Amino acid sequence: MPNPLFDTLFGQHSTSDAEFLQLPGGRSLSYKAFLDRAAQYAGAMTSMGLVVGDRVAVQTAKSPETLAVYAACVQAGLVFLPLNTAYTPAEVAYFVENSGARLVLGDESRRDALATIADRCNAKLETLNADGAGSFPSLAVSFPASFETVPRSEGDLAALLYTSGTTGRSKGAMLSQGNLLSNAQVLRQEWRFTSQDILLHALPIFHTHGLFVATNITLLCGGQMIFLPKFDLDEVITELPRATAMMGVPTFYTRLLGDKRFTKELSAHMRLFVSGSAPLLADTHIQFEERTGHRILERYGMTETNMNTSNPYEGERRAGTVGFPLPGIEVKITDPKTGQTIPNGDIGQIEVHGPNVFQGYWQMPDKTAEELRTDGFFITGDLGMVDEDGYVTIVGRNKDLIISGGYNIYPKEIELILDEQDGVLESAVIGVPHPDFGESVLAVIVAKPDQEPDLDAIAANMTASLARFKQPQQLVLLPELPRNTMGKVQKKALREQFAGTFA
Ligand code: MCA
Ligand code: AMP
C-alpha cells in the first residue's frame, strides 16, 4: 500500500549505503543507517499508542535524530510538528495545547517545564538531546530496524507548522503529503539537483526553508548534506569548498560577504546559492557576484505554500525580484479591496494557487476562510507586482510582520504583552532596518497618565514569555502614538522616525 511522501523521499533509499549526512567531527550517516533509525522511531511511537493522524510536537536540537523523527512520522502516518528551539515554555504550551499533540519530544534540560505542559495537555513526554541521547532513543533502540509503512494518500496531513498570526494567536498550517511532494519535485527539477549534489545545510530544521526545501530536495535526488548544527561563519567557510549548493536567508550572505576569507576560490566548487525567507538587498546580490562570480538565486515562499516563485536556473536571475511562478503554480496580483486581478506592472496583493497550497489552518475555519479563497487561491499578505517579462517583485507586506534574520515576528503578539505591563497605556512594535538581521524589533511605549513605566523591568519580563529573537532590541517611551484621522496607529511614521536606530 502506498505512502507517496515516504516512498518517494525515504523508501527509495532504504537499502542504500550511499552517504546521506556529513556531520561535524568527520562522522557521517548513510541513507540506510538513517532509515533504520527512523523505522525504530516509528516502531517506538506506535508502541506508545500513537495512531494515524496524531500530532508529534518536536522541540529538539538540529540533529540526524530529529530528522529521523520527521521520517518516522511520515512512515507511521503521524503529523510532524516542529518547534523553534528558542521558544519559551509559555510559547510551547500554546502549540501543544492548540494542536492536541499526543507526544512531545524535547531536550532533557527542559524536562520539568515540558512535563508540566504535557501533563496538562494529556500528552506523553520523551526526551531527545542534541547528542542523540535521551529517553526516546533509549526506548527506540529495542525496536526493529524495519517498520511496515502506513498507507497514506497525497491529501493526507504530513505536517503542522505554526505561523504567527496578525491577531497574536499562531495558526497551524496544515500541509499534506501532496503539498510537500509536489514542491520538492518542482524545485529539484528547476534547480537541477542530482545525486551528485552536496548541500551545505546551516539552516534550522523547524521551518519550511531548512526542513522541506533543503532536506526534501536532497532526499528526493539522493544527494548528501553537510549537516551543520547552525550557521557558524567559521564552519561554513571551512565546509564550503566541499559543497555544491547552499541555501540560506540573506543574513547568511551578508555575514559571508563581511568576511575576507570568503573568496572566489572558496566558492569555486559551488554551482548554486539560493536565498529566501526575507528580501535580499539588490546591493548584496551585486556584491556577491562581484566577489564570487556567482549570482544568488532568489526565490519566494511561505509556510502555507512552500515555494511559489523562483528566479531561473538558466536565464537571468534579476536582483530585487523573486523570479517566475514555479511550474504548476499560478500567481496573480489583485486589488486588496475588490479581489479583482489588476494589470501587469501595478502593485497589489499576491495570491497563489497550486498543488503547493496548504489545506487550511488547524481548527480555525474562520481564519482559513479569510485567507484561502473557495477557488483555491491563497491570499499571501505580501504586496507585489509582475513586470512585462513575468518577473515577480515583492514590494512590501499587507500584513503587520517583521522578518528578522529570516524569522517571522508578529508585532501584535509583542504588543499584547507590553500592554499588560505596569504603567503602560499602549504600545506599537515596529521593524526597523538592521545591518545583520535585515530588520529588528523596536517597541514604542506610551505611559498611563502620571505613571513612569520601568523599561528595564519590562524588558526583563519579556524573557519569560517571548523567545529571545522576538524580544524588542530597544524600548522607547513616547508621549503618544502617531494616529491618522481614523485613529489608526501610523506605524509607517514610526518606522521613518526610528529608521536609523540600529544603523
Ligand atoms: C538569533 N537571534 C536573533 C535571531 N537569531 N535575533 C533576531 N533575529 C534572529 N533571526 C538572537 C540570539 O538569540 C542572540 O541573542 C543574538 O541574536 C545573537 O545570536 P547569533 O549567534 O548572532 O545568532 P545566530 O545563532 O547566528 O542566528 C542568526 C541566524 C539565525 C543564523 C540568522 O537566526 C537563522 O538561522 N535564521 C534562519 C531562519 C530561517 O530558517 N528562516 C526560515 C523561515 P542574545 O545574544 O541576546 O542571547 S521562513 C520559511 O521557511 C519560508 C517558507 C521561506 O520562504 O523560506
Ligand atoms: P513564513 O510565514 O515564516 O513562512 O514567511 C513567509 C514570508 O516571508 C512571506 O510571506 C514573505 O513576506 C517573506 N518572504 C519569503 N521569501 C521572501 C523573499 N525572497 N523576499 C521577500 N520576502 C520573502
Side-chain angles (χ1 to χ4, degrees):
M1 292 284 275
N3 177 324
L5 192 63
F6 186 80
D7 300 343
T8 316
L9 295 189
F10 304 101
Q12 57 152 328
H13 307 297
S14 58
T15 56
S16 166
D17 287 321
E19 207 156 277
F20 172 39
L21 300 178
Q22 298 184 26
L23 300 163
R27 293 172 302 131
S28 66
L29 200 64
S30 70
Y31 271 97
K32 183 176 182 320
F34 173 76
L35 289 164
D36 285 354
R37 189 169 304 170
Q40 291 183 310
Y41 289 1
M45 288 192 286
T46 307
S47 80
M48 286 176 197
L50 269 67
V51 296
V52 169
D54 279 348
R55 277 76 58 209
V56 179
V58 181
Q59 194 195 30
T60 56
K62 181 178 176 184
S63 68
E65 289 75 18
T66 296
L67 210 52
V69 175
Y70 164 49
C73 285
V74 180
Q75 188 167 22
L78 304 170
V79 178
F80 186 63
L81 194 178
L83 293 170
N84 193 324
T85 45
Y87 288 151
T88 61
E91 290 167 309
V92 173
Y94 171 78
F95 300 118
V96 173
E97 194 161 1
N98 184 267
S99 67
R102 292 281 316 279
L103 171 65
V104 178
L105 287 178
D107 195 272
E108 180 65 41
S109 62
R110 289 191 160 201
R111 179 187 267 283
D112 291 349
L114 293 175
T116 310
I117 297 166
D119 276 355
R120 208 178 61 224
C121 300
N122 226 352
K124 294 179 194 308
L125 171 69
E126 297 292 342
T127 59
L128 173 58
N129 305 331
D131 62 1
S135 67
F136 181 65
S138 301
L139 172 75
V141 79
S142 57
F143 283 84
S146 69
F147 179 84
E148 191 162 340
T149 304
V150 172
R152 299 264 74 195
S153 68
E154 293 210 351
D156 287 325
L157 216 54
L160 192 57
L161 264 65
Y162 276 82
T163 78
S164 300
T166 41
T167 55
R169 284 189 71 206
S170 287
K171 302 168 286 186
M174 298 190 284
L175 295 157
S176 69
Q177 288 217 341
N179 293 148
L180 303 182
L181 195 49
S182 66
N183 216 238
Q185 284 164 332
V186 156
L187 294 174
R188 175 185 61 167
Q189 183 68 26
E190 288 299 291
W191 297 344
R192 311 287 190 269
F193 270 84
T194 72
S195 58
Q196 300 308 301
D197 272 304
I198 303 176
L199 180 81
L200 183 51
H201 194 303
L203 287 158
I205 54 169
F206 42 69
H207 280 314
T208 297
H209 198 163
L211 180 63
F212 300 137
V213 185
T215 306
N216 285 358
I217 296 179
T218 306
L219 286 161
L220 190 61
C221 70
Q224 295 178 37
M225 294 196 280
I226 301 173
F227 204 59
L228 302 180
K230 58 175 285 209
F231 182 89
D232 176 279
L233 192 55
D234 290 340
E235 274 189 75
V236 168
I237 285 176
T238 307
E239 299 295 345
L240 205 52
R242 295 197 299 118
T244 63
M246 176 170 146
M247 295 180 192
V249 296
T251 301
F252 286 18
Y253 297 115
T254 49
R255 286 187 183 181
L256 280 169
L257 284 170
D259 195 302
K260 287 206 168 50
R261 294 171 295 171
F262 182 59
T263 58
K264 191 168 187 151
E265 294 67 43
L266 198 81
S267 57
H269 186 240
M270 295 288 284
R271 67 168 188 87
L272 181 63
F273 289 94
V274 176
S275 177
S277 310
L280 183 77
L281 296 179
D283 187 47
T284 310
H285 188 96
I286 292 160
Q287 272 190 46
F288 200 91
E289 186 175 13
E290 282 171 1
R291 178 88 68 90
T292 65
H294 289 282
R295 282 178 89 90
I296 297 176
L297 185 155
E298 186 170 7
R299 78 346 172 242
Y300 158 56
M302 286 187 76
T303 301
E304 289 91 333
T305 61
N306 284 275
M307 299 305 103
N308 297 312
T309 72
S310 171
N311 268 283
Y313 189 78
E314 282 131 16
E316 189 193 350
R317 299 179 194 167
R318 221 175 255 182
T321 81
V322 290
F324 307 111
L326 288 162
I329 297 172
E330 276 176 274
V331 170
K332 65 178 183 182
I333 308 292
T334 62
D335 180 327
K337 289 201 186 78
T338 63
Q340 295 301 309
T341 303
I342 58 176
N344 271 6
D346 287 0
I347 293 170
Q349 63 186 3
I350 301 177
E351 299 194 25
V352 296
H353 179 260
N356 56 319
V357 173
F358 75 140
Q359 311 299 301
Y361 294 114
W362 176 259
Q363 292 180 344
M364 289 187 184
D366 295 347
K367 292 274 167 219
T368 303
E370 274 170 30
E371 293 174 37
L372 194 55
R373 296 188 190 279
T374 45
D375 63 3
F377 272 91
F378 175 64
I379 306 165
T380 61
D382 292 309
L383 296 173
M385 54 167 264
V386 181
D387 70 16
E388 68 273 17
D389 298 326
Y391 284 85
V392 177
T393 300
I394 299 174
V395 298
R397 298 169 206 139
N398 206 14
K399 50 192 173 191
D400 195 10
L401 163 71
I402 300 166
I403 305 183
S404 167
Y407 285 149
N408 282 13
I409 299 166
Y410 277 83
K412 190 76 193 168
E413 185 184 358
I414 304 168
E415 287 161 2
L416 288 172
I417 296 172
L418 287 172
D419 292 351
E420 284 171 3
Q421 304 296 314
D422 282 349
V424 174
L425 177 69
E426 59 178 355
S427 62
V429 168
I430 52 170
V432 292
H434 187 279
D436 187 28
F437 291 136
E439 280 185 296
S440 200
V441 183
L442 182 141
V444 177
I445 287 172
V446 177
K448 283 183 178 155
D450 305 322
Q451 296 202 25
E452 258 184 64
D454 178 344
L455 298 188
D456 291 338
I458 292 176
N461 286 348
M462 306 296 275
T463 53
S465 339
L466 286 176
R468 181 79 192 98
F469 70 89
K470 296 181 194 168
Q471 293 167 26
Q473 299 230 340
Q474 189 142 339
L475 295 168
V476 181
L477 204 54
L478 282 192
E480 60 183 10
L481 297 177
R483 291 182 189 276
N484 65 12
T485 46
M486 308 289 287
K488 191 170 182 302
V489 176
Q490 296 300 87
K491 289 201 169 176
K492 190 162 174 277
L494 288 174
R495 280 193 285 267
E496 281 164 10
Q497 184 176 350
F498 292 103
T501 309
F502 302 119

